[in-house]
Every structure is written in structure tokens, then in C-alpha cells.
Amino acid sequence: MTALLRSIALLLLLLMLLPSSTPASGRVIGALLSSDLPRYRETHRQLIKVLAAHGINASSEIIVQTPNPDPQSWGNAMRKLTAYGADLVVAYGASAVATALKEGDGLPVVAVDAVLAEGASSTDLCGITARVPMVTLLRVLQEIRPQQRVGVLYNSREVGSVLQLEELRRTARQMDISLLEGNAGSPATVESATNALLTKVDSLIITDSSVVCKQFDRIVARCHSARVAAATTLPDGAARGALVSLEVSPAEQGQVGGQMAVRLLQGARPEQLGISQPRKIELVLNLKVAHELELTVPFQVLGMVTRVLK
């Protein structure tokens, strides 16, 4: 018996001499993506880098859910994360954020690459917003082609898309712009909603919707065929054929989100961290598309943009 006690005492001593674990040791992070879009994958890669720099093993401590972009799938995915025992959830996109807050039952939520309402707050929420001033897109479009009819392609089932639509409505009224709306509430209705708008508008704003943006390249191709200028807040949207895009940086979104996740695991509370504003917002103009659509870009617009693609 004495030998057994000595062995136990020696084992306890060895455990005390081992290096202490990281603050996140043994913790589980859930990642809920509104859908499997390149923007969210890039944001997630950047977030993983930050977590890895703090000793968090991505393969064993991060559980990723990429559901279909619909309310039922978002809810099911979030319930899986809570059942698994996640200590916090990083939510990519406004729809994932809304679902995580609703289904998380007090679980800390880090919002990244999400169009959040102005002044959005919750005791369970922190992160970085992807909200950009939609008035900028309207001003650029009006400068290039005055007195035009502007279409908006949105999804009434996605929070971020609706927020952008509401902002566009308010701004269009102030600028006396005719705004036509097309609701693509499911993947099957994107093409019909797009085609209906393209017969009536001079330009088309593509909002922050997973359902819509999954068909972005097809929508832009239809715009070109109809001689309609496309505008979007999708990162790399201008590089993929839109006339103009107003973009946040996925790298910044992931880095800030990762830093906040680490601080939560170290004991901070979401309300202490709050919602950060993006520091890097680019207004990108595709001059090649302008030439293809036979549009003259005024010097005033060239002075507004931060990057020109030729």
C-alpha cells in the first residue's frame, strides 16, 4: 500500500511540473457558415491562423457547419453545435449570426463577415460587422448613368440582404431614384427574379444573400447580355464581372474575429468586446466592363474609387 501511495504522489508531482496548458485547452469552438461561399472560406482561413498562433488545434477544437442557405438548415446546424458542447460559436454572415443568437441559449457568438443592423448589440454578441454604406453604390451608378432605374436583387429570408434593401429604399427616396425590387427567396427563383428585373432596369444591385451570391457569375453574365450594369458588396465582385463593388476585407474579418474568439476563451465576455467596424473598405471599379457596356466614367467617380480594374 505504501508503494502505491508513493507512486500516486510521484505521478501528482510530475503533473505539477508539466507546462501549463493554453487558455483554450480542451475548449470547443463552433463555426457556423451561412453557406459555403468563397468569402466565408477565406474569412475562416484567416481566423484559423489567429487561433493557431494562440495554440488552438483547429482539427480537434473547431467544429465547422456549412448548411444549405435556408432557415431550417441553419437551425439544425446550430443545434448540432450546441449538442456537441461548443463553448462559443463564430457565425459567418448575418443569417448565421441571427440563428446562433436564437438557438444558442446564451452561448457567446462572434459575428464575422455579417451585415449587422446599426447599433446591433446583445449580451451574447461580439465581432466585426461587414456593413458598408449602400448610398455609395447608388451615387456611383447615378454619376455614371443619371436618371436611371435601379434594380435590387435580394432574399427576404436572409437578414443581411433585407438590411441592405431597407437602406437602399431609404437612400433611393432621398435621391429621387426609381428602385425596383426582385425577391429571390430560394435557389429556384433566382433566375426568374433576375430576368424580370433585367427587362426594366439600367443597373442591378446584388445584395448580401447566400442564395443569390451562389449564382453570382450567372447573374453577372445575364446582366452583360442585357446591357445592365451590376453592382455588389460581394468581395471580388468587380473582379468577377460587376461594374462596381464595395468590399470589406475577408482577411480583416477573420483576423478580428479570431482575436475576439481567443479573448472569449481567456475569460472575456461578449459585451466587453462589442462590435468592431471594418477599417478596410474598398470601392472597386471594373473599367473593362464599363467599356464593354459603352459607359463613360466621369472623373468624379474615378476620384471616389480606391481601386480600378483595367
Side-chain angles (χ1 to χ4, degrees):
M1 188 67 175
T2 303
L4 178 60
L5 292 174
R6 287 175 180 172
S7 298
I8 294 174
L10 180 60
L11 178 60
L12 291 173
L13 179 61
L14 289 173
L15 290 173
M16 292 175 62
L17 293 176
L18 288 174
S20 61
S21 60
T22 65
S25 178
R27 310 296 290 276
V28 177
I29 299 174
L32 179 62
L33 280 64
S34 292
S35 68
D36 187 18
L37 288 177
R39 65 184 299 174
Y40 298 144
R41 292 199 297 270
E42 177 57 26
T43 300
H44 186 67
R45 279 194 289 269
Q46 297 297 328
L47 183 137
I48 290 294
K49 289 181 181 179
V50 174
L51 298 181
H54 288 80
I56 300 172
N57 188 313
S59 64
S60 62
E61 296 183 344
I62 299 180
I63 310 301
V64 180
Q65 293 289 305
T66 55
N68 292 326
D70 63 76
Q72 182 176 349
S73 298
W74 294 320
N76 290 340
M78 183 59 198
R79 286 187 285 273
K80 289 178 183 177
L81 292 176
T82 55
Y84 192 84
D87 296 287
L88 64 88
V89 172
V90 182
Y92 298 72
S95 297
V97 172
T99 303
L101 290 172
K102 179 181 178 181
E103 302 287 349
D105 193 24
L107 203 62
V109 177
V110 181
V112 291
D113 204 0
V115 177
L116 302 177
E118 189 173 354
S121 64
S122 166
T123 55
D124 302 326
L125 179 66
C126 62
I128 177 170
T129 183
R131 185 165 185 164
V132 294
M134 302 301 289
V135 62
T136 301
L137 290 180
L138 283 177
R139 284 175 178 167
V140 169
L141 293 173
Q142 279 296 93
E143 288 290 340
I144 293 175
R145 186 183 278 171
Q147 297 180 338
Q148 63 173 300
R149 298 164 300 169
V150 179
V152 182
L153 190 61
Y154 75 103
N155 182 350
S156 60
R157 303 172 77 187
E158 296 190 54
V159 178
S161 182
V162 172
L163 285 172
Q164 289 183 332
L165 172 66
E166 291 173 347
E167 184 178 346
L168 286 167
R169 284 174 177 166
R170 292 192 299 269
T171 306
R173 284 195 296 268
Q174 295 167 0
M175 297 176 65
D176 197 25
I177 293 175
S178 176
L179 199 70
L180 288 81
E181 303 171 8
N183 182 13
S186 68
T189 61
V190 172
E191 185 173 0
S192 60
T194 301
N195 291 340
L197 284 173
L198 292 181
T199 62
K200 306 171 185 175
V201 302
D202 304 298
S203 62
L204 180 67
I205 297 178
I206 302 167
T207 63
D208 193 332
S209 158
S210 292
V211 166
V212 171
C213 289
K214 273 184 168 292
Q215 300 187 42
F216 181 82
D217 294 333
R218 183 183 300 179
I219 294 168
V220 169
R222 289 286 298 115
C223 287
H224 287 186
S225 299
R227 314 296 292 173
V228 169
T232 185
T233 58
L234 182 70
D236 294 327
R240 292 170 60 181
L243 173 66
V244 61
S245 56
L246 189 60
E247 311 175 5
V248 298
S249 165
E252 180 190 23
Q253 295 281 319
Q255 289 160 8
V256 173
Q259 292 161 6
M260 289 194 177
V262 170
R263 291 188 62 186
L264 289 174
L265 293 174
Q266 291 172 337
R269 297 190 304 274
E271 63 266 30
Q272 294 175 314
L273 305 180
I275 301 295
S276 295
Q277 300 296 317
R279 293 185 177 183
K280 185 176 182 181
I281 300 176
E282 283 197 307
L283 180 62
V284 186
L285 175 72
N286 191 321
L287 207 54
K288 181 179 179 181
V289 171
H291 291 159
E292 290 174 352
L293 297 177
E294 299 179 345
L295 297 173
T296 300
V297 179
F299 284 111
Q300 184 174 346
V301 171
L302 293 174
M304 293 171 61
V305 301
T306 55
R307 185 155 52 98
V308 176
L309 305 178
K310 298 180 179 180

